[in-house]
Amino acid sequence: MSVTLVRNIHTLVTMNAAREELKDASLLIRDGVIEQVGRSTDLQTAADEVLDLKGRYLVMPGLVNTHHHFYQTLTRAVPAAQNVDLFGWLKALYPIWARLTAEGVRASAQLCAAELILSGCTTASDHLYIFPNDATLDGEIHAVQETGLRFHASRGSMSVGEAQGGLPPDSVVEDEADILRDSQRLIETWHDNRRYSMTRVTLAPCSPFSVSPALMRESAALARSYPGVRLHTHLAESEPDVDYSLATFGLTPGDYAESVGWLGADVWHAHGVWLDDRAIERFAVTGTGVAHCPCSNMRLASGLAPVRKMRRAGVAVGLGTDGAASNDATHLFHEARQACLTARVRELDAAAMTARDALEMATLGGARVLGRDDIGCLAPGMAADFICIDLDRASLAGAQHDPVAALVLCDVGGVDYSYINGRCVVEEGRLTTAELPRLIETVNRLSAAMVRA
Ligand SMILES: [Zn+2]
């Protein structure tokens, strides 16, 4: 039994049903689970470990990143892919990604997990869909587990290459029977559906323009034969993506997804920038989720997703950074800020999204999209996943009257403490679970070999 008391919290953002924000608060954690939340004077004080925040720190639930491609950390800011749209960007990068190795998967996953943790994420989903050379999803899962990040690993895939009218080169696509066999093996090896699980597996054919309708259907059937295995892909990201769907399947992206069984409470799609009103309605009715990735959507000039419309309709929306090659900054507070700002520009309405709406998407929204009711808020019975931010920092000076909104409207930078499943993974701003200088050196070496080869 281990009991941790976090006391003298300046502001505690609970994200509970009443969205309470408590002053002078404390948290009591027993064996990785939150036992009590309340005012410092009301909580028990006996604990094995005490973190005294001296009235200076804001505490909130750890952020949930719902869409990423960790391996792309090796190919940030590649010159040939800096100023092109989605399809041009993919064509510039596929040959470079074909040089990915197991060592590259491991180093990029650990670096990316470190970056996510240091900037406030405690849970992330990653979508790995290219397995050249000796790259495997097993290697990525091992690597991330060592960092302490709560992890949803997506077994991605590409099976329709250029010769069959798809976008990826034939050298990086896999046989569909092999994909399904490996997907089943990964579920049976790694997927943990218990409450407070640290590792879950998702099946995630890459996109409608890189796999067949048969693989979409069969992946859905396979996932649904195991409890808690979810489905994820890219959908309606750009206008050419919609054009491909209409020309190839004779269906809009929303109708295509429905035709292959990809709407439902166990499905979330990345982007949805070009979802039409009917698709939004179908997403809402079926409980289908969306990973909103505003920085990537702007970087590739894909468009501004209709997020206010989705949220008003009742669609579950979480935030995603997207891969590090189309949003070269992995920082979910930036994404919350951009979600807030782009919603206002899209609607020409300064009230289209509040800072608190954006924080809700980054926490509870992400938890809902990933199908979890044990993370995303700080309340008794929830996992002890929380971050602490020292409010005495230059970027938050002058905003002490509303430090919660300031998290989105100002610049948070990094977190000072992070606990995941009750384990301290950031202490006084430093990662406790990996050696960052060594990781940076390894990623730079492997990146050079991939990009300049
Ligand atoms: Zn993506």
PDB file of all heavy atoms in Angstrom, residues 67-69 72 127 129 234 237 270-271 322-323 326, ligand 1:
ATOM      1  N   HIS A  67      -4.029  11.452 -31.256  1.00  0.00           N
ATOM      2  CA  HIS A  67      -3.529  11.101 -32.598  1.00  0.00           C
ATOM      3  C   HIS A  67      -2.093  11.566 -32.769  1.00  0.00           C
ATOM      4  O   HIS A  67      -1.797  12.758 -32.611  1.00  0.00           O
ATOM      5  CB  HIS A  67      -4.413  11.733 -33.679  1.00  0.00           C
ATOM      6  CG  HIS A  67      -4.018  11.321 -35.073  1.00  0.00           C
ATOM      7  ND1 HIS A  67      -4.148  10.035 -35.531  1.00  0.00           N
ATOM      8  CD2 HIS A  67      -3.470  12.022 -36.100  1.00  0.00           C
ATOM      9  CE1 HIS A  67      -3.716   9.959 -36.781  1.00  0.00           C
ATOM     10  NE2 HIS A  67      -3.286  11.159 -37.154  1.00  0.00           N
ATOM     11  N   HIS A  68      -1.220  10.635 -33.106  1.00  0.00           N
ATOM     12  CA  HIS A  68       0.198  10.951 -33.282  1.00  0.00           C
ATOM     13  C   HIS A  68       0.818   9.861 -34.143  1.00  0.00           C
ATOM     14  O   HIS A  68       0.241   8.782 -34.304  1.00  0.00           O
ATOM     15  CB  HIS A  68       0.881  10.997 -31.900  1.00  0.00           C
ATOM     16  CG  HIS A  68       2.108  11.874 -31.860  1.00  0.00           C
ATOM     17  ND1 HIS A  68       3.085  11.815 -32.810  1.00  0.00           N
ATOM     18  CD2 HIS A  68       2.516  12.811 -30.963  1.00  0.00           C
ATOM     19  CE1 HIS A  68       4.042  12.704 -32.504  1.00  0.00           C
ATOM     20  NE2 HIS A  68       3.716  13.326 -31.388  1.00  0.00           N
ATOM     21  N   HIS A  69       1.992  10.171 -34.706  1.00  0.00           N
ATOM     22  CA  HIS A  69       2.837   9.160 -35.363  1.00  0.00           C
ATOM     23  C   HIS A  69       4.233   9.402 -34.813  1.00  0.00           C
ATOM     24  O   HIS A  69       4.976  10.238 -35.341  1.00  0.00           O
ATOM     25  CB  HIS A  69       2.807   9.311 -36.882  1.00  0.00           C
ATOM     26  CG  HIS A  69       1.419   9.452 -37.453  1.00  0.00           C
ATOM     27  ND1 HIS A  69       0.556   8.384 -37.541  1.00  0.00           N
ATOM     28  CD2 HIS A  69       0.741  10.528 -37.920  1.00  0.00           C
ATOM     29  CE1 HIS A  69      -0.600   8.806 -38.052  1.00  0.00           C
ATOM     30  NE2 HIS A  69      -0.516  10.104 -38.284  1.00  0.00           N
ATOM     31  N   GLN A  72       7.572   9.750 -36.806  1.00  0.00           N
ATOM     32  CA  GLN A  72       7.837  10.928 -37.638  1.00  0.00           C
ATOM     33  C   GLN A  72       8.745  11.950 -36.944  1.00  0.00           C
ATOM     34  O   GLN A  72       9.204  12.904 -37.568  1.00  0.00           O
ATOM     35  CB  GLN A  72       6.517  11.579 -38.063  1.00  0.00           C
ATOM     36  CG  GLN A  72       5.726  10.721 -39.034  1.00  0.00           C
ATOM     37  CD  GLN A  72       4.415  11.351 -39.455  1.00  0.00           C
ATOM     38  OE1 GLN A  72       4.133  12.517 -39.143  1.00  0.00           O
ATOM     39  NE2 GLN A  72       3.588  10.599 -40.164  1.00  0.00           N
ATOM     40  N   HIS A 127      -0.161   6.062 -33.752  1.00  0.00           N
ATOM     41  CA  HIS A 127      -0.572   5.341 -34.960  1.00  0.00           C
ATOM     42  C   HIS A 127       0.679   5.046 -35.784  1.00  0.00           C
ATOM     43  O   HIS A 127       1.201   5.928 -36.455  1.00  0.00           O
ATOM     44  CB  HIS A 127      -1.558   6.248 -35.715  1.00  0.00           C
ATOM     45  CG  HIS A 127      -2.229   5.597 -36.883  1.00  0.00           C
ATOM     46  ND1 HIS A 127      -3.051   6.294 -37.732  1.00  0.00           N
ATOM     47  CD2 HIS A 127      -2.209   4.332 -37.343  1.00  0.00           C
ATOM     48  CE1 HIS A 127      -3.510   5.472 -38.673  1.00  0.00           C
ATOM     49  NE2 HIS A 127      -3.015   4.289 -38.457  1.00  0.00           N
ATOM     50  N   TYR A 129       2.017   2.918 -38.862  1.00  0.00           N
ATOM     51  CA  TYR A 129       1.394   2.220 -39.991  1.00  0.00           C
ATOM     52  C   TYR A 129       2.392   1.796 -41.058  1.00  0.00           C
ATOM     53  O   TYR A 129       2.020   1.389 -42.145  1.00  0.00           O
ATOM     54  CB  TYR A 129       0.301   3.096 -40.615  1.00  0.00           C
ATOM     55  CG  TYR A 129       0.768   4.489 -40.991  1.00  0.00           C
ATOM     56  CD1 TYR A 129       1.458   4.714 -42.174  1.00  0.00           C
ATOM     57  CD2 TYR A 129       0.519   5.575 -40.155  1.00  0.00           C
ATOM     58  CE1 TYR A 129       1.907   5.977 -42.508  1.00  0.00           C
ATOM     59  CE2 TYR A 129       0.964   6.849 -40.475  1.00  0.00           C
ATOM     60  CZ  TYR A 129       1.654   7.039 -41.661  1.00  0.00           C
ATOM     61  OH  TYR A 129       2.101   8.287 -41.989  1.00  0.00           O
ATOM     62  N   HIS A 234      -7.472   7.722 -40.533  1.00  0.00           N
ATOM     63  CA  HIS A 234      -7.570   9.116 -40.977  1.00  0.00           C
ATOM     64  C   HIS A 234      -8.809   9.241 -41.861  1.00  0.00           C
ATOM     65  O   HIS A 234      -9.034   8.386 -42.722  1.00  0.00           O
ATOM     66  CB  HIS A 234      -6.361   9.498 -41.831  1.00  0.00           C
ATOM     67  CG  HIS A 234      -5.050   9.485 -41.104  1.00  0.00           C
ATOM     68  ND1 HIS A 234      -4.251   8.378 -41.032  1.00  0.00           N
ATOM     69  CD2 HIS A 234      -4.402  10.471 -40.439  1.00  0.00           C
ATOM     70  CE1 HIS A 234      -3.145   8.676 -40.352  1.00  0.00           C
ATOM     71  NE2 HIS A 234      -3.211   9.936 -39.970  1.00  0.00           N
ATOM     72  N   GLU A 237      -9.505  14.323 -44.364  1.00  0.00           N
ATOM     73  CA  GLU A 237      -8.483  15.257 -43.885  1.00  0.00           C
ATOM     74  C   GLU A 237      -8.356  16.479 -44.783  1.00  0.00           C
ATOM     75  O   GLU A 237      -8.194  17.596 -44.290  1.00  0.00           O
ATOM     76  CB  GLU A 237      -7.137  14.525 -43.775  1.00  0.00           C
ATOM     77  CG  GLU A 237      -6.000  15.403 -43.298  1.00  0.00           C
ATOM     78  CD  GLU A 237      -4.739  14.624 -42.961  1.00  0.00           C
ATOM     79  OE1 GLU A 237      -4.782  13.381 -42.954  1.00  0.00           O
ATOM     80  OE2 GLU A 237      -3.710  15.261 -42.704  1.00  0.00           O
ATOM     81  N   ALA A 270      -9.200  10.440 -37.221  1.00  0.00           N
ATOM     82  CA  ALA A 270      -8.381  11.641 -37.147  1.00  0.00           C
ATOM     83  C   ALA A 270      -8.871  12.658 -38.184  1.00  0.00           C
ATOM     84  O   ALA A 270      -9.219  12.288 -39.305  1.00  0.00           O
ATOM     85  CB  ALA A 270      -6.924  11.301 -37.415  1.00  0.00           C
ATOM     86  N   HIS A 271      -8.916  13.913 -37.769  1.00  0.00           N
ATOM     87  CA  HIS A 271      -9.156  15.079 -38.614  1.00  0.00           C
ATOM     88  C   HIS A 271     -10.635  15.406 -38.842  1.00  0.00           C
ATOM     89  O   HIS A 271     -11.162  16.297 -38.217  1.00  0.00           O
ATOM     90  CB  HIS A 271      -8.396  14.998 -39.942  1.00  0.00           C
ATOM     91  CG  HIS A 271      -6.935  14.769 -39.749  1.00  0.00           C
ATOM     92  ND1 HIS A 271      -6.153  15.643 -39.047  1.00  0.00           N
ATOM     93  CD2 HIS A 271      -6.127  13.734 -40.120  1.00  0.00           C
ATOM     94  CE1 HIS A 271      -4.903  15.179 -39.013  1.00  0.00           C
ATOM     95  NE2 HIS A 271      -4.867  14.021 -39.636  1.00  0.00           N
ATOM     96  N   ASP A 322      -1.059  15.141 -33.994  1.00  0.00           N
ATOM     97  CA  ASP A 322      -0.693  14.508 -35.260  1.00  0.00           C
ATOM     98  C   ASP A 322       0.810  14.257 -35.262  1.00  0.00           C
ATOM     99  O   ASP A 322       1.527  14.640 -34.341  1.00  0.00           O
ATOM    100  CB  ASP A 322      -1.149  15.316 -36.475  1.00  0.00           C
ATOM    101  CG  ASP A 322      -1.320  14.417 -37.715  1.00  0.00           C
ATOM    102  OD1 ASP A 322      -1.036  13.208 -37.629  1.00  0.00           O
ATOM    103  OD2 ASP A 322      -1.755  14.929 -38.769  1.00  0.00           O
ATOM    104  N   GLY A 323       1.282  13.606 -36.305  1.00  0.00           N
ATOM    105  CA  GLY A 323       2.683  13.194 -36.361  1.00  0.00           C
ATOM    106  C   GLY A 323       3.631  14.376 -36.390  1.00  0.00           C
ATOM    107  O   GLY A 323       3.279  15.483 -36.800  1.00  0.00           O
ATOM    108  N   SER A 326       4.164  16.582 -39.620  1.00  0.00           N
ATOM    109  CA  SER A 326       3.197  17.564 -40.116  1.00  0.00           C
ATOM    110  C   SER A 326       2.799  18.554 -39.025  1.00  0.00           C
ATOM    111  O   SER A 326       2.010  19.473 -39.254  1.00  0.00           O
ATOM    112  CB  SER A 326       1.945  16.872 -40.660  1.00  0.00           C
ATOM    113  OG  SER A 326       1.230  16.243 -39.620  1.00  0.00           O
TER     114      SER A 326
HETATM  115 ZN    ZN B   1      -2.038  11.424 -38.775  1.00  0.00          ZN
END
